[in-house]
Amino acid sequence: MLNSDEVAQFEKLLKPLKEGQERIEKTQQEQGSTLTHQGEAIKQQGSVINHIATAIKALATKQDVERVEKEVDKLKERLRPPRAD
């Protein structure tokens, strides 16, 4: 059985260990929160990248359509009968 002095000594030794554990837990919670925020930021960046990619595809499609329309116009011009002036 421990006497009161030994119990007090163990409690004195345990106090810094408990405080250290509390600091570790607080740091882990803060880091978890930081990781959550970073994850959200990465999701938002991914969303922006997807929007940019969609815009680029749309622009490329529009340019393709315009190029084809010009070619069609050229072909139509070549197929028209000559004008009788």
Side-chain angles (χ1 to χ4, degrees), residues 17-81:
L17 293 174
K18 287 181 181 179
E19 291 171 353
Q21 181 63 31
E22 289 171 358
R23 284 194 302 271
I24 289 170
E25 288 172 359
K26 182 179 177 185
T27 300
Q28 287 174 335
Q29 288 173 350
E30 290 170 353
Q31 288 174 343
S33 177
T34 299
L35 288 174
T36 299
H37 291 309
Q38 289 174 342
E40 289 300 318
I42 289 169
K43 284 182 189 176
Q44 290 174 353
Q45 289 172 347
S47 178
V48 169
I49 290 170
N50 285 339
H51 288 303
I52 291 170
T54 301
I56 289 171
K57 287 178 186 175
L59 178 60
T61 301
K62 181 179 178 185
Q63 289 173 340
D64 290 341
V65 167
E66 289 173 352
R67 187 171 46 249
V68 169
E69 286 174 342
K70 286 179 184 177
E71 288 297 320
V72 168
D73 289 344
K74 286 179 187 177
L75 290 173
K76 283 181 181 178
E77 192 65 37
R78 287 176 49 195
L79 292 174
R80 284 191 186 147

Side-chain angles (χ1 to χ4, degrees), residues 4-18:
S4 62
D5 289 338
E6 291 172 324
V7 170
Q9 186 179 10
F10 280 122
E11 287 176 348
K12 184 178 177 182
L13 292 172
L14 283 175
K15 184 177 179 182
L17 293 174
K18 287 181 181 179

